[in-house]
Amino acid sequence: MNISYTILIPLIPLAVFLLLGIFNQKIKPSISGYIGVLGLLASTILSFYTAYQYFFIHEKVDGVYQTFVEKTVWMNFTETLHIDMGVLIDPISIMMLLVVSVVSLMVHIYSRGYMKDDEGYTRFFAFLSLFTFSMYGLVLATNLFQIYIFWELVGVSSYLLIGYYYTKPSAVAAAKKAFIVTRFADLGFLIGILIIGYYTGTFDFETLNNPEGSAILNWASTSFMGLSAITWALILIFIGGAGKSAMLPFHIWLPDAMEGPTPVSALIHAATMVVAGVYLVARLFPMYYFVEDGFVLNIVAFVGAISSLFAAIIAITQTDIKRVLAFSTMSQIGYMMLALGVSGYDGHEGVGYMASMFHLFTHAMFKALLFLAAGSVIHAVHSNYLKDMGGLRKYMPITNITFLIAALAIAGMPPFAGFFSKDEILVAAYEHNKLIYYIGVFVAGLTAFYMFRIYFGIFWGKDTQYEHKPKESPLSMTFPLMFLALLSVVGGFIPFSEFITADKASFEVHLNYPLAAIAVGVGLAGIILAWIFYKKENNLANKFANAFGPFYKWASDKFYFDEIYLFITKKILFKRVSAPIAWFDKKVIDATMEGIGNKTVLASEKIKGMQSGKVQDYAFAFISGVVVLAIIFIYLWTN
Amino acid sequence: MIAGISIYEILTLTSILFFIGIYGFITRKNLISMLISIELILNASVVNFVVINKYLYPDMLQGVFFSIFIIAVAAAETALAISIIINLYRQISSVEVKDTEIMKY
């Protein structure tokens, strides 16, 4: 299969970015929107063509999907250790291509309506294209270093887009926070890459992931503090992934990132960039599975499970709808991590891996839909807060229906997409680790509850009197909603285990009816509880919150994680570490240098009178010097 | 070779001439006088070249030739200095040394 044309998939958005970025002022906003959408449409068509070619035209060899790589050496260190640039086509990269293409295209179309009359319209589309380019590059990366480069590029585009309203101090602060927190986690990623490069002598995914390859067979050859060096490297790489995917304790940037425009939240902070961490673990899955007998995978599973529980509890208490969705995203990504963590490798054992990728796919669709629908609501009522909403179903029928579909999908109700992927995850967890399974089921209930809490709060509940009568958004905004709603309905019927498995060979999955029934029952309970609390305006929810007292307060203050970080940075790092170092720098190093300079100036002040400008003085000094030297050489220099 | 006069006497004379030049260069208040002092210094060295050539290496001519070169260079240098002084005079209407002290710190 010839895959060289796939390089165009990332290059088209790059070209659009350069075009819109360089001729920012010269292009009319109406045209720049079309350029952005058309560029992405081309990439999307190419992605679908690639997927079609790969899954349906090209034959599997021995029932296993082949991996295609096209690359050039970029930096050469040794015979085996070199940094390449290229594209790698295998099932998960194709799936990510489709996810990025579809969501990004929908967000581009949606933004034409949402960002209308915004001053930085062209700049917005330029940044969106830059992000899409970086994400494609990340997905198609052939080696660890390439993925790292694009990893940082998506970080930069995320920073640029969160800080899009750069006149708003809170947006600037959120952008910086997102960048610094993820950058801090990426330090772990970089160290992990270097360790892998040092001990295995290669960055290549193909070489690293080969179960019979030296990287996996020789993992135990070096040990450091009880674990092998490769294990440490994988833990560090997972830290990088946790930073990008907002896993505990690096999640603090994600809620604040909601300061960006809503389409950005839908694209970057719900569907694509935040799942990069999941993708990274999936990309290196054979290493994670075989090295140290899956030790790191246990860490992945528990970090995922705890993050998912933690975020779901916080999501119940938030009143800003975008923040609820942000915590929900974190919770669902925790689900994906958890599924990867409990997965095996061969055949049906790898159901967790398949479920994780499946959930990534379906989640991208319905979460992007939730964000876009929330954006449509925010566009209509000009507020993010639940208290300003209510009874909107009369004014915004399309948004209402699509939001409901997405909420049912994320709550895991059959036959919507989330039901199938969530069921597979719970099956995998049930077979592997009961504790994680119970956490998963509980979170499923919480998810249904908080999602319907905001659904009823927005579209039902109290009859708010609006100053301007809210009206349904234009077609450019409702079309992506309807399209994504369609995908959220039918997405679950894709036979994912046909296409994407840990060992790249297809297997059959069947619904596990008892487990599915439990999950659906718990989800229904959540929905009914939300229905009782929030369908009509009443005091039940407040009474309930008061009953929980301090616990409710903790959760609504996000368990004080931000405060802990602020305490550690401001009180300990800045005051106890940075301040003394700054003092040393200022008072000792700078002062020494300045002292030398000052003394030189002083000395020259003293002796500048010698430069009198009288030529005869100079002549006198010169001749006196000659005479003195003559005396020295002739009479005193005797040996 | 001048009969009855040894090299020491002539070198003493040129040394005196040289230091008169230096003294004049340092103490004169007038640029033209300083120029004349420089001529004295140059002439002292020219006489030295000739005398040393004649007394120590009578069968050679380098010293004599060198003195001719020095005379030529001195003429050129004088021409240059005079032109600078004339230009200076046009600018500040003076050839006094104390009026040319503006090039200081």
Side-chain angles (χ1 to χ4, degrees), chain A residues 161-366:
Chain A
L161 284 165
I162 296 170
Y164 174 73
Y165 297 121
Y166 56 82
T167 48
K168 222 165 70 176
S170 60
V172 175
K176 279 194 288 191
K177 191 172 177 181
F179 194 72
I180 292 168
V181 172
T182 51
R183 201 47 272 247
F184 178 70
D186 291 346
L187 181 64
F189 189 8
L190 179 61
I191 297 171
I193 292 175
L194 295 179
I195 295 175
I196 288 218
Y198 184 77
Y199 283 105
T200 66
T202 178
F203 293 127
D204 242 31
F205 286 134
E206 270 187 299
T207 328
L208 287 172
N209 280 339
N210 184 359
E212 274 94 47
S214 63
I216 287 179
L217 289 183
N218 299 332
W219 63 264
S221 57
T222 49
S223 84
F224 177 72
M225 286 171 63
L227 296 171
S228 79
I230 304 289
T231 312
W232 282 109
L234 291 176
I235 292 174
L236 287 165
I237 289 175
F238 174 63
I239 288 177
K244 213 45 134 206
S245 289
M247 291 290 99
L248 223 57
F250 298 112
H251 65 283
I252 52 162
W253 65 270
L254 186 59
D256 288 20
M258 295 301 129
E259 290 290 343
T262 310
V264 171
S265 310
L267 175 61
I268 302 183
H269 307 118
T272 54
M273 188 193 83
V274 286
V275 297
V278 181
Y279 179 74
L280 182 65
V281 177
R283 175 52 79 211
L284 285 172
F285 188 74
M287 286 208 86
Y288 275 97
Y289 184 72
F290 287 109
V291 172
E292 202 95 34
D293 301 324
F295 174 81
V296 189
L297 276 186
N298 286 327
I299 298 179
V300 173
F302 276 99
V303 168
I306 293 167
S307 300
S308 118
L309 177 65
F310 172 88
I313 292 173
I314 295 177
I316 292 174
T317 61
Q318 298 298 305
T319 54
D320 177 333
I321 56 171
K322 279 184 77 182
R323 279 182 184 246
V324 174
L325 293 178
F327 279 109
S328 153
T329 306
M330 179 183 162
S331 171
Q332 298 301 311
I333 294 169
Y335 246 78
M336 299 171 206
M337 286 287 187
L338 168 166
L340 278 180
V342 298
S343 176
Y345 185 71
D346 301 305
H348 196 270
E349 285 286 296
V351 67
Y353 180 91
M354 184 282 283
S356 172
M357 291 296 108
F358 196 7
H359 199 56
L360 194 162
F361 180 81
T362 56
H363 172 260
M365 302 306 157
F366 58 67

Side-chain angles (χ1 to χ4, degrees), chain A residues 608 611-612 614 616 619, chain B residues 25-26 28 34 101 104-105:
Chain A
K608 77 177 179 186
Q611 204 77 356
S612 63
K614 291 178 190 145
Q616 288 167 327
Chain B
F25 185 74
I26 293 173
R28 289 291 96 186
M34 282 170 69
E101 290 175 4
K104 59 179 175 183
Y105 51 88

